[in-house]
Amino acid sequence: MKRIIVLLCLFAFLFGGASALFATGEPEDDGELVIGLSLPTQREERWVRDRETMEAYAEELGVDLRIQVADANTAEQTAQVENLFAQGIDVLILAPHDAAAAASLVDQAEDEGIPVISYDRLITNTPNLDVYLSFDNVGVGRIQGEFFVNNVPDGSNIIILAGAPTDNNAFLFKEGAMEFIQPKIDSGAYTVVADQFVDNWLPENALAIVENALTTAGNDVQGILAPNDGTAGGAIVALEAQGLAGDVVITGQDASLAGARRIVEGTQGMTVFKDTRELGRAAIDAAIALASGEDLDFNGAVDNQVFDVPSILLTPFSVESDNIEEVLVDSGYLSRSEVFGN
Ligand code: GAL
């Protein structure tokens, strides 16, 4: 009996040793699909939802999703994506912190035969993208711009904020909004007090810009185009300090809880609802399709300065005080008690 046990142990040792000997350091390919996901940040609530949705959906479908989150830092995101390549991912979902800097990662993926989905934010300066999956972002800007001109009267002084200059979305949002606002500026109906991009989308940067602009204009400002709820929040802090919160028309985007609550209390005029639950699931579906060589259903194309990237663009919705319950609560995106505090 003892001898059998010793033999078994020896066999196990030799077998284990041999498999270790033949291990090459390459990730094992057991046939299971491995998706890499690189997100730029978790600062805004929406990015947390994107991550949570994809995590849950991947688990439901039984695919291996490897997630990396960079803290709005290009070097960090680059290192994280290279790490995903080393893990042997089959497909990459990449939401870039810096649109142009991420091009080299896409080119590297192409060399390794890994398809790339540009998620929410477009990666510019590369011919190697497979798909841009996002919302109609010029449409987001149009929703903001239309609300703005409908609510800011002629004869107003205005502040124009745009998102981070490293994020291609910032330009698309602004393009859409200015379709409505620029004619008002050209006709002299609006006077622009400040027109600036907000580095890294940081609320504190928006706060500083608005604080300065209010000083310059002697607090005589009637409208602020804010590209998302985070920057709107920063701008509203600056307004509060001057006793102006609620008196100045201000836009937003992302249907964050803070933004929704400000709409209810009357300090923010609107937000834009982009259902990140839908976007997240669409990304996993697209990743699976790409990995198995299937065609995707595109409904648009967006120029990334090299080519028109085949795109899947979801629809954004305007949220104001009169439809907030229907759009955000009834859809289950936010809870009634969170939004209305009861
Ligand atoms: C944009 C995104 C917005 C907002 C912003 C700041 O690219 O589309 O929803 O979250 O980044 O992260």
Side-chain angles (χ1 to χ4, degrees):
M1 188 63 186
K2 244 188 203 164
R3 207 183 288 161
I4 293 176
I5 294 174
V6 169
L7 275 176
L8 277 176
C9 287
L10 192 70
F11 182 75
F13 176 78
L14 281 177
F15 186 75
S19 69
L21 209 67
F22 291 121
T24 56
E26 288 289 312
E28 287 171 36
D29 191 355
D30 57 4
E32 194 191 25
L33 178 66
V34 184
I35 301 174
L37 168 64
S38 169
L39 293 174
T41 178
Q42 293 282 277
R43 274 184 204 159
E44 290 83 9
E45 202 172 290
R46 66 143 294 179
W47 292 110
V48 176
R49 283 172 177 276
D50 293 67
R51 179 176 56 71
E52 287 173 352
T53 300
M54 285 191 260
E55 233 164 13
Y57 191 50
E59 199 181 325
E60 191 185 318
L61 298 182
V63 297
D64 184 353
L65 180 67
R66 311 270 171 95
I67 306 176
Q68 297 279 342
V69 176
D71 188 21
N73 179 296
T74 305
E76 195 180 334
Q77 186 164 45
T78 303
Q80 290 180 339
V81 171
E82 282 169 354
N83 181 275
L84 288 171
F85 291 151
Q87 291 181 39
I89 56 170
D90 298 301
V91 46
L92 174 66
I93 302 172
L94 174 55
H97 164 62
D98 184 309
S104 65
L105 293 171
V106 180
D107 298 342
Q108 210 174 315
E110 168 77 10
D111 290 344
E112 305 200 17
I114 300 168
V116 181
I117 298 169
S118 189
Y119 184 81
D120 191 76
R121 299 175 174 179
L122 185 60
I123 300 157
T124 58
N125 300 80
T126 173
N128 292 321
L129 262 187
D130 293 276
V131 53
Y132 177 40
L133 173 64
S134 187
F135 293 87
D136 170 6
N137 292 312
V138 176
V140 168
R142 287 190 185 117
I143 292 172
Q144 295 169 331
E146 187 171 12
F147 174 87
F148 194 91
V149 299
N150 284 342
N151 289 278
V152 178
D154 289 356
S156 290
N157 290 332
I158 67 166
I159 297 170
I160 297 170
L161 301 177
T166 45
D167 179 352
N168 191 67
N169 281 348
F171 297 91
L172 301 178
F173 300 148
K174 187 171 187 186
E175 180 188 326
M178 294 315 277
E179 283 178 17
F180 290 84
I181 299 172
Q182 192 62 48
K184 291 282 197 178
I185 298 169
D186 294 343
S187 72
Y190 290 165
T191 303
V192 179
V193 177
D195 182 353
Q196 287 189 42
F197 283 85
V198 178
D199 275 339
N200 272 342
W201 291 95
L202 284 177
E204 52 265 42
N205 292 341
L207 190 161
I209 295 168
V210 172
E211 204 169 52
N212 282 339
L214 289 175
T215 307
T216 310
N219 281 352
D220 185 13
V221 168
Q222 287 72 41
I224 302 177
L225 176 75
N228 73 348
D229 290 350
T231 51
I236 290 167
V237 172
L239 291 173
E240 268 159 6
Q242 301 303 314
L244 296 172
D247 298 338
V248 177
V249 174
I250 180 160
T251 58
Q253 171 188 190
D254 283 341
S256 69
L257 179 58
R261 291 188 74 111
R262 289 192 298 259
I263 292 175
V264 171
E265 77 187 22
T267 52
Q268 183 175 322
M270 57 84 72
T271 188
V272 179
F273 174 46
K274 302 186 299 188
D275 197 335
T276 50
R277 299 169 301 187
E278 247 185 79
L279 192 71
R281 285 193 292 267
I284 300 292
D285 286 339
I288 293 170
L290 281 178
S292 39
E294 284 167 30
D295 290 338
L296 300 177
D297 261 341
F298 302 115
N299 65 354
V302 182
D303 180 13
N304 81 340
Q305 286 156 46
V306 175
F307 78 123
D308 287 336
V309 184
S311 303
I312 302 172
L313 304 176
L314 308 185
T315 307
F317 299 96
S318 178
V319 180
E320 300 175 31
S321 59
D322 60 355
N323 70 348
I324 193 164
E325 182 156 0
E326 183 192 329
V327 181
L328 298 185
V329 176
D330 294 352
S331 66
Y333 202 69
L334 296 176
S335 81
R336 189 179 310 274
S337 60
E338 284 176 319
V339 174
F340 295 100
N342 58 41

